[in-house]
């Protein structure tokens, strides 16, 4: 199931607080890598302008500016809370045909109701030699943390936590870009989160509040779930750092000149 657009615009990304909470957990990633910089390194070898759809809190803009300060980047987001250059939806890009050198969609296509339409829109705005980069996770990433959350839901009488967003668009969904791109490749990076602190782990789970809170039983507050999760995390941390494995990466689509 896709994420409701109003939920994305107003609650998930109405401001940067929940996004920063999710990003904070990856300070404990081993080996440490910067996926925004990985994307910037791919995009920087080409020409601009670059369209950053679902631009979030601007990390790609900073990384790309460090590598190619001459490249223009335009941030597009459905949420005004992310302070984009343009408020817009990737399913109906407010951009003319064939004008961009690159389009980037970082960890956002799984929120979109019609992913194939979004991918085709990304291809439409690219020049024939342009490149599209979509980042996401493997759908089994952070299984240990999500399993703990599932148990905490059960502790307060709730059912299983909902399906992960990356179950809709994960690294195994590269074929969805083949609907619009003649060449599609995947680059993966495996990691383990090794965290010995409660706050980043609990903050990550709290950042899922907009999508999960309505699934709790009547009379059960979100704070009850957090208390149950905190208890389980503290118990786990008595044995050492909490570890959870994952994989993230890029799906890269290229548009052959012959396609236009």
């Amino acid at each position: 199931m896709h994420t409701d657009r109003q939920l994305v615009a107003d609650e998930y990304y109405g401001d940067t607080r929940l996004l920063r909470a999710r990003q904070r957990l990856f300070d404990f990633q081993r080996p440490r890598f910067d996926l925004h910089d990985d994307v910037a390194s791919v995009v920087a070898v080409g020409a601009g302008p670059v369209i950053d759809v679902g631009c979030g809190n601007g990390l790609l803009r900073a990384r790309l500016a460090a590598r190619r300060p001459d490249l223009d980047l335009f941030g597009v987001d459905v949420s005004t809370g992310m302070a984009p250059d343009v408020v817009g939806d990737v399913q109906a890009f407010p951009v003319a045909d064939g004008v961009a050198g690159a389009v980037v969609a970082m960890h956002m296509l799984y929120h979109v109701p019609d992913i194939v339409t979004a991918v085709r829109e990304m291809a439409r705005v690219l020049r024939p030699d342009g490149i599209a980069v979509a980042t996401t996770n493997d759908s089994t990433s952070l299984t240990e943390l999500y399993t703990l959350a599932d148990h905490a839901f059960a502790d307060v009488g709730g059912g299983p936590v909902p399906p992960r967003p990356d179950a809709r668009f994960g690294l195994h969904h590269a074929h969805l870009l083949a609907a619009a791109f003649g060449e599609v490749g995947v680059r993966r990076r495996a990691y383990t989160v090794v965290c010995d602190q409660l706050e980043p782990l609990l903050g990550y789970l709290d950042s899922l509040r907009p999508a999960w809170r309505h699934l709790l039983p009547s009379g059960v507050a979100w704070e009850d779930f957090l208390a149950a999760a905190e208890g389980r995390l503290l118990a786990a941390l008595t044995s050492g750092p909490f570890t959870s494995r994952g994989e993230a990466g890029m799906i890269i689509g290229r548009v052959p000149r012959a396609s236009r």
Side-chain angles (χ1 to χ4, degrees):
M1 181 179 294
H2 66 85
T3 311
D4 178 79
R5 172 172 172 160
Q6 212 59 44
L7 195 69
V8 170
D10 294 344
E11 296 195 46
Y12 264 124
Y13 304 110
D15 58 41
T16 62
R17 180 180 56 86
L18 297 184
L19 178 57
R20 283 188 282 109
R22 283 193 293 282
Q23 291 170 340
R24 165 79 172 123
L25 182 61
F26 296 96
D27 290 344
F28 298 86
Q29 179 189 71
R30 299 181 185 175
R32 188 79 173 94
F33 61 87
D34 183 342
L35 193 58
H36 289 85
D37 194 55
D38 287 353
V39 172
S41 71
V42 171
V43 172
V45 300
V50 177
I51 300 174
D52 181 10
V53 59
C55 57
N57 53 357
L59 294 182
L60 178 62
R61 183 186 296 272
R63 303 300 188 271
L64 189 58
R67 288 178 174 271
R68 284 285 305 276
D70 60 305
L71 280 184
D72 290 327
L73 182 145
F74 298 95
V76 179
D77 207 293
V78 297
S79 174
T80 58
M82 296 294 104
D85 298 301
V86 178
V87 176
D89 187 336
V90 67
Q91 298 168 108
F93 250 148
V95 179
D97 294 357
V99 297
V103 179
V104 177
M106 296 201 66
H107 283 77
M108 59 79 60
L109 283 178
Y110 43 62
H111 290 310
V112 176
D114 189 337
I115 295 171
V116 171
T117 292
V119 167
R120 286 176 173 153
E121 278 289 271
M122 292 169 68
R124 177 184 65 78
V125 304
L126 283 171
R127 292 195 299 272
D129 58 348
I131 184 173
V133 182
T135 67
T136 186
N137 309 306
D138 179 85
S139 60
T140 62
S141 292
L142 302 182
T143 292
E144 297 83 357
L145 184 56
Y146 278 88
T147 298
L148 183 145
D150 206 21
H151 292 156
F153 250 63
D155 291 342
V156 295
V161 297
R164 303 258 302 270
D166 44 35
R168 295 189 67 240
F169 185 76
L171 291 172
H172 58 293
H173 286 105
H175 63 279
L176 293 178
L177 268 71
F181 295 94
E183 301 174 16
V184 178
V186 181
R187 299 184 186 181
R188 297 171 177 265
R189 279 185 177 262
Y191 64 86
T192 303
V193 167
V194 182
C195 185
D196 59 358
Q197 300 175 30
L198 173 67
E199 181 273 328
L201 294 160
L202 195 62
Y204 183 94
L205 294 180
D206 190 31
S207 77
L208 302 171
R209 176 191 302 240
W212 286 11
R213 65 183 177 191
H214 69 284
L215 299 172
L216 291 170
S218 177
V220 176
W222 179 253
E223 288 69 25
D224 298 327
F225 160 70
L226 287 182
E230 179 176 347
R232 286 184 170 274
L233 286 168
L234 287 172
L237 289 168
T238 61
S239 302
F242 188 91
T243 62
S244 196
R245 297 171 184 81
E247 194 172 29
M250 297 178 270
I251 303 174
I252 302 171
R254 300 182 188 276
V255 182
R257 291 181 184 275
S259 68
R260 290 194 181 278

